[in-house]
Amino acid sequence: MRNWENSAWRSLRRAALGLAALVTAAGALAQVSIEAVTASIQGGSEVVRIDLSQPLKAVPEGFVIQSPARIALDFPGVSNALGRTQVPLNQGNVQTANVVQAGDRTRVVLNLNRSANYRAEVQGRALLVVLDQVVTQAPASSTARMFAESQPNADVLPLRDIDFRRGVESAGRVVVDLPNNQVGVDIRQQGRNLVVEFLKTSLPEGLRRRLDVTDFGTPVQTITTTQSGDRVRMVIEPKGQWEHSAYQSDSQLVVEVRQQKVNPDKLTQGTGYSGEKLSLNFQNIEVRSLLQVIADFTNFNIVTSDSVQGNLTLRLNDVPWDQALDIILQAKGLGLKRSGNVLQIAPKEELAAKEKAELEALAAVQNLEPLRTQSFQLNYTKATDIARQLMGNSLGGSGGVGSTATTRILSPRGSVIAEPRTNQIFVSDISTKLTQVQEMISKLDIAVRQVLIEARIVEASDTFGRSLGVRLGGADLRGVRGGDAGYGLGNGNRVALGGSYNAGIGTTVPGQSPLLTYDTSGSDKIGSTNFLNLPAAGFNGYNAPSLALSLFNSAANRFLNLEISAMEADGKGKIVSSPRVVTADQTKAIIEQGTEFAYQQATSSGATAVAFRKAVLSLEVTPQITPEGNVILDLIVNNDSPGTVIANAMSINTKKVQTQVLVENGGTVVIGGIFTLTENEVVNKVPLLGDIPLLGNLFKNKTKNSDKQEMLVFITPKIITDRSAMR
């Protein structure tokens, strides 16, 4: 019995020793874990205490990130036993601590308010991280790179001009004319504004103003320019999400502010990658664990498909997190689908197949969903036009059963009926399509703005004419005076000089020509001739006035007649035509006034028919109102007038302008002008005699004409906002 007890005791003792050895071995094989993270202030410094389940053999490695301010510590062979990944600390410079486990490694990231150095030491089962004083950063003025450096010892020069323009894609462009190309420029973003400073410059009084550029339709709202010491400070105030760029060409600086394009599928907005920077250094880590690290860092909710498998080795130092995620997805052939702050990650083929299945299911539901009928009352648009747009180009008439045209808005089962009398449409379709129709009608059925277009056609003429002429003649009165010719007064001959003649041998004869002429109604003839006949030309239906002089020899009974004629005409005229027309936006309007001239033309049968040709003043215009309130005009202006008759048909003198212009509301623009100048100078003279200086003027005729014609076309569009604009 005693032997049995001794044997049992020995067996029990051996079992207890084996169990103790097993427990000791299990404790030795147990992984070290982080149990708590706390923060406190000791001796004026922030101290972060990390409690572990077992003492560390060495201080873990870590690194400091300046922007954003962080301290990262890597614990190999350590797990996270906190049950959470973020611990709020809020102690001095320390905000929070992120504890992220990836495989058999855990990283602790301390998020700071300001960048600071640290020192770590192991005390028992705890690691103490003591933060040094805040690292003093250099002033921004010494580290920030300026757009253009200022030259030393430069004089203070005034800015020449400040202007604002609208650029491509509704970008706002601030154009500044600098004194020279050596002016220093500093551009920086300050809060929600953009500040531009011009070093060693002054601002003239005419440029010290606040520009309100809201009406230009750009992100820029106001531009305020002031003098600040020896520099000019310009504050540009944009709205919404924006980005800017600047460039300088010689002495002209252009700052362009444009709207930032938002892509809902992009993780972070802006050009390139703009997420917070992180560092990743892992050897053969699971992809799912790596995605969990990024999820904890970014606070995004990541849903990973079961088919995402495999390991990855990477080393990324201080890169944006969205770029790091993009690198991981490309390396493993994965795709991403974002819905709010939830990221769904799966192989690209799986995402494509899932999206295809969703679309097929949606199409199947639409084919089975019951149809509803809804009526829509239209106020400004014709019902037939809306019905045609809903059904596509294949619709003919006012309504009917739908077709499968690719341009249609309705589903293949949908239909629309237009009622012109009440200006309503009745649509039968599924609920989602009816909602789309309602949204479409709310955008299309709006009052169309109207434009008043006024044209002024000004025609000015300036004419000038001058003519000089001379006549020379002679007469023989020997027959009248009883000379060798043997003629007497009794035969009825009369003589007149300047309308009368009273030399004792005749009577007054009124109504005669200024030249010395004779009435030879009898059978006897008196020798009289004009051996030079170059009189002045008349203008405007009037004859040229003249001055006559006769020289005679009483002994020889012979006369020498001289007549000088001259005329000058000067005329000015102006014709102003002002057609006006009102039309709706993007609707052609025509207004004309004039005459239609009839003429005969041959037909194909050989007979003649009467046709008409217009000679009218007309204005044809199609306005388009831009979003910023300007007006684009497609113009055709005609100003025709009747010409001469050629072959029993009236010719037409035409003047036409066809163009497209952009005009501000209420502004006036000259769209075209025609200027013609016609000058003629004619000299008729007797050869040799007409070339004699001074005396040669008695043997020539001079005529000079000058005709100036000018036409200008002015256009003024006005957007009608009330009835007063029509007055």
Side-chain angles (χ1 to χ4, degrees), residues 59-60 73 118-122 127-130:
V59 177
L73 299 171
Y118 76 98
R119 51 188 175 87
E121 58 178 328
V122 178
L127 176 69
L128 299 182
V129 181
V130 182

Side-chain angles (χ1 to χ4, degrees), residues 146-151 154-159 178-180 182-188 196-202 227-233:
M146 299 178 62
F147 179 82
E149 299 289 344
S150 177
Q151 296 296 325
D155 296 332
V156 177
L157 300 175
L159 297 180
L178 306 175
N180 51 53
Q182 304 298 324
V183 175
V185 182
D186 183 16
I187 303 176
R188 65 184 182 274
V196 184
E197 289 189 346
F198 304 93
L199 309 183
K200 294 186 178 181
T201 55
S202 62
Q227 185 76 44
S228 177
D230 62 344
R231 61 180 59 187
V232 175
R233 178 183 176 89

Side-chain angles (χ1 to χ4, degrees), residues 116-396:
N117 295 326
Y118 76 98
R119 51 188 175 87
E121 58 178 328
V122 178
Q123 289 186 0
R125 293 190 306 166
L127 176 69
L128 299 182
V129 181
V130 182
L131 275 64
D132 294 342
Q133 294 183 355
V134 177
V135 178
T136 304
Q137 297 182 352
S141 59
S142 60
T143 59
R145 185 183 181 93
M146 299 178 62
F147 179 82
E149 299 289 344
S150 177
Q151 296 296 325
N153 302 324
D155 296 332
V156 177
L157 300 175
L159 297 180
R160 293 187 293 181
D161 192 18
I162 299 175
D163 193 12
F164 183 82
R165 302 171 186 170
R166 189 173 188 269
V168 182
E169 296 183 354
S170 301
R173 303 180 63 192
V174 183
V175 182
V176 183
D177 287 337
L178 306 175
N180 51 53
N181 56 3
Q182 304 298 324
V183 175
V185 182
D186 183 16
I187 303 176
R188 65 184 182 274
Q189 184 174 347
Q190 192 175 74
R192 297 300 303 166
N193 299 332
L194 186 65
V195 178
V196 184
E197 289 189 346
F198 304 93
L199 309 183
K200 294 186 178 181
T201 55
S202 62
L203 188 64
E205 290 293 337
L207 299 180
R208 297 187 182 184
R209 59 181 183 265
R210 182 176 184 269
L211 300 178
D212 187 352
V213 294
T214 308
D215 294 340
F216 283 83
T218 69
V220 181
Q221 301 298 294
T222 60
I223 303 171
T224 306
T225 310
T226 57
Q227 185 76 44
S228 177
D230 62 344
R231 61 180 59 187
V232 175
R233 178 183 176 89
M234 175 185 292
V235 179
I236 302 173
E237 182 181 350
K239 70 172 181 179
Q241 300 295 326
W242 54 272
E243 55 189 9
H244 78 279
S245 62
Y247 61 89
Q248 183 174 344
S249 176
D250 195 16
S251 62
Q252 187 178 79
L253 173 70
V254 178
V255 181
E256 186 171 278
V257 181
R258 54 191 171 274
Q259 198 76 27
Q260 188 180 82
K261 296 182 178 179
V262 178
N263 185 359
D265 296 330
K266 194 173 180 181
L267 297 177
T268 57
Q269 301 302 327
T271 57
Y273 301 100
S274 57
E276 293 188 18
K277 295 182 179 180
L278 54 76
S279 297
L280 299 174
N281 186 5
F282 295 104
Q283 297 289 333
N284 199 25
I285 185 176
E286 291 185 358
V287 176
R288 301 172 66 89
S289 300
L290 188 57
L291 294 175
Q292 184 63 35
V293 172
I294 295 179
D296 295 333
F297 181 82
T298 60
N299 292 326
F300 267 100
N301 300 315
I302 295 182
V303 179
T304 306
S305 174
D306 294 338
S307 56
V308 177
Q309 302 293 337
N311 297 339
L312 188 64
T313 299
L314 78 163
R315 177 182 177 86
L316 301 176
N317 186 21
D318 203 21
V319 298
W321 70 264
D322 49 346
Q323 183 180 9
L325 179 59
D326 193 19
I327 292 173
I328 296 171
L329 297 180
Q330 292 182 7
K332 303 303 293 184
L334 302 176
L336 181 146
K337 183 178 180 181
R338 178 179 177 181
S339 177
N341 64 339
V342 178
L343 305 181
Q344 182 180 356
I345 297 177
K348 295 181 179 179
E349 297 80 5
E350 182 178 334
L351 289 178
K354 185 177 180 180
E355 186 175 359
K356 180 181 178 182
E358 291 177 354
L359 294 176
E360 291 176 349
L362 181 61
V365 170
Q366 290 181 353
N367 292 331
L368 299 176
E369 185 177 355
L371 300 180
R372 290 176 47 210
T373 301
Q374 184 175 349
S375 63
F376 299 92
Q377 178 66 55
L378 303 178
N379 299 319
Y380 304 100
T381 310
K382 293 183 179 180
T384 54
D385 295 339
I386 294 294
R388 186 175 296 108
Q389 295 176 9
L390 292 176
M391 299 300 296
N393 296 330
S394 62
L395 177 64

Side-chain angles (χ1 to χ4, degrees), residues 463-474:
T463 60
F464 176 79
R466 176 184 294 168
S467 180
L468 296 174
V470 65
R471 283 183 180 179
L472 289 177

